[in-house]
Amino acid sequence: MAKRQIPVIVLAGFLGSGKTTLLNHLLGRSGGSRIGAIVNDFGSIEIDAMNVAGQVDSMVSLGNGCLCCAVDTSELDGFLDRLARPAARIDVIVVEASGLAEPQEIIRMILASENKAIVYGGLVEVIDAAEFSGTRARHPELDRHVAIADLVVLNKTDRIGDEARESLTATLAELAPGTPVVTASYGRVDPDLLFDRKPKEERNEAIRQLSFEDLCTGDEDDDHHGHLHAAYESVEFISDDPMHPRRLMEFLDSRPEGLYRIKGFVHFGVAGHRNKYAVHAVGDFLRFYPSAWARSEKRATQLVMIGSGIDARALWDRLDACRDTALSTEGEDAGHSMWGVLRYAQS
């Protein structure tokens, strides 16, 4: 089996956009997953769920196993290594960028890391709906930050009206064509949009410590929380037929607007390449991880696609057209047909 890598998500946005509030929300709704949080800011941060405010300048162990540290970008590699070590048992790492940071520099460091235990999990750009226009006028570099985002969270939408929200959404669509935009209030986005939470049977409920999730869960949360899943759609695709490598790569190279994540595994059935290929895609980032099928495991493709504003039926139909029902890849062109996949494969 291919060793699972830890996704590293970059959380960016201008000062006051609500990054820390969103991070606290993720910590409180982790579903038993262990989150390593790296805060790239030497200013004060507040962890609302624990009612702790102040400077975090060292490694701190929190109630649900989360690790939080404030660092300079030059220290990022070291902290990623520490969080990714097996003993930490971290499931996802969130890097909260400084409100004045250049997120592409943090992304570059993650992509350049030689640590095989981590994988880039995408850039989430948080926007203050009420202040964005004025902030953008003073800091035009925000246009560039939005343009490279894999997901835009339009936060604090409770502070603006419908007309202003529609206008702002249109502006974001111009700045980042095809990038999904999820609206939120109080930084409340569904964690399932960003990372895979542990199934209940894996959480060891009987012996685990009291967590942020326990402290935050209550009926009062429902008044503000709303139905987070309404902000995005999840599309499942299953095929017993092998997938045609070239057709699938054509699909992946031209992913439709609003599609944010793709996860699962693919059965190609190509001679010499009969492994199971786990797939991890966030925005434009793509990796395949080949591994042997378990002896009793059924050879099939199972994919989950997550996005905002996507056409679920059209998405399913496009993948359906990637089936290789005629086994056309079994001929002499079989090896060449996998070249596109192998470009993104990591052993």
Side-chain angles (χ1 to χ4, degrees):
M1 297 291 290
K3 185 177 180 180
R4 179 185 171 277
Q5 290 181 301
I6 302 170
V8 181
I9 299 167
V10 179
L11 189 61
F14 194 71
L15 297 167
S17 60
K19 299 185 301 299
T20 301
T21 302
L22 194 157
L23 174 58
N24 291 333
H25 172 74
L26 295 180
L27 292 172
R29 292 293 179 272
S30 65
S33 297
R34 294 169 66 90
I35 302 175
I38 299 176
V39 181
N40 172 225
D41 195 342
F42 283 106
S44 64
I45 70 167
E46 180 178 344
I47 302 177
D48 297 327
M50 297 293 285
N51 293 317
V52 175
Q55 173 65 41
V56 178
D57 57 9
S58 61
M59 192 69 70
V60 179
S61 179
L62 302 177
N64 63 344
C66 300
L67 297 173
C68 191
C69 45
V71 301
D72 183 83
T73 51
S74 63
E75 300 174 296
L76 184 59
D77 258 345
F79 277 100
L80 288 175
D81 288 343
R82 291 177 68 177
L83 291 176
R85 72 192 192 281
R89 296 185 290 117
I90 293 296
D91 299 297
V92 60
I93 298 171
V94 179
V95 180
E96 182 187 337
S98 162
L100 300 176
E102 288 290 343
Q104 63 266 36
E105 289 303 308
I106 297 177
I107 295 171
R108 179 188 59 77
M109 293 182 70
I110 295 170
L111 292 175
S113 173
E114 296 182 358
N115 191 324
K116 301 299 183 183
I118 65 170
V119 63
Y120 177 58
L123 169 64
V124 179
E125 182 74 18
V126 184
I127 300 295
D128 183 334
E131 304 293 337
F132 182 66
S133 296
T135 303
R136 183 187 176 204
R138 298 189 304 273
H139 300 276
E141 65 271 17
L142 290 184
D143 286 9
R144 184 177 67 255
H145 298 176
V146 173
I148 64 173
D150 297 299
L151 176 72
V152 175
V153 175
L154 184 55
N155 195 29
K156 304 186 182 181
T157 52
D158 54 299
R159 296 180 55 195
I160 61 175
D162 292 342
E163 185 176 342
R165 183 172 63 251
E166 291 176 5
S167 175
L168 185 49
T169 300
T171 298
L172 294 173
E174 292 176 1
L175 295 176
T179 300
V181 178
V182 175
T183 58
S185 298
Y186 307 101
R188 291 183 169 100
V189 298
D190 195 328
D192 288 335
L193 185 59
L194 305 181
F195 59 89
D196 300 328
R197 292 186 284 183
K198 282 186 177 177
K200 285 187 176 180
E201 58 270 19
E202 296 183 15
R203 298 182 193 174
N204 205 2
E205 300 284 349
I207 62 172
R208 69 179 178 85
Q209 295 177 329
L210 186 68
S211 72
F212 281 161
E213 190 166 10
D214 299 317
L215 296 173
C216 291
T217 300
D219 294 337
E220 72 281 356
D221 187 59
D222 293 335
D223 296 335
H224 303 290
H225 200 275
H227 297 285
L228 295 177
H229 62 271
Y232 67 92
E233 288 185 86
S234 177
V235 181
E236 295 184 0
F237 177 83
I238 300 175
S239 173
D240 291 335
D241 295 316
M243 304 296 282
H244 192 289
R246 284 180 177 162
R247 291 180 207 156
L248 183 64
M249 289 309 302
E250 287 173 2
F251 167 80
L252 293 173
D253 287 339
S254 59
R255 276 164 266 179
E257 293 188 0
L259 182 57
Y260 171 60
R261 292 181 69 200
I262 303 175
K263 57 184 180 178
F265 50 87
V266 182
H267 168 47
F268 289 114
V270 176
H273 300 277
R274 297 189 184 276
N275 282 336
K276 174 170 65 175
Y277 284 80
V279 60
H280 166 75
V282 179
D284 292 330
F285 182 83
L286 174 65
R287 284 289 186 277
F288 285 101
Y289 303 93
S291 64
W293 295 91
R295 181 170 298 180
S296 60
E297 192 172 6
K298 181 180 180 181
R299 272 59 168 170
T301 293
Q302 296 188 37
L303 297 173
V304 176
M305 293 154 288
I306 300 173
S308 175
I310 56 178
D311 185 334
R313 184 68 219 185
L315 195 58
W316 195 94
D317 286 344
R318 285 190 61 188
L319 272 175
D320 189 54
C322 296
R323 297 178 194 257
D324 191 14
T325 55
L327 296 179
S328 57
T329 54
E330 288 296 331
E332 61 182 28
D333 190 39
H336 293 172
S337 69
M338 286 291 293
W339 282 0
V341 174
L342 297 178
R343 283 174 50 212
Y344 296 97
Q346 180 171 319
S347 58

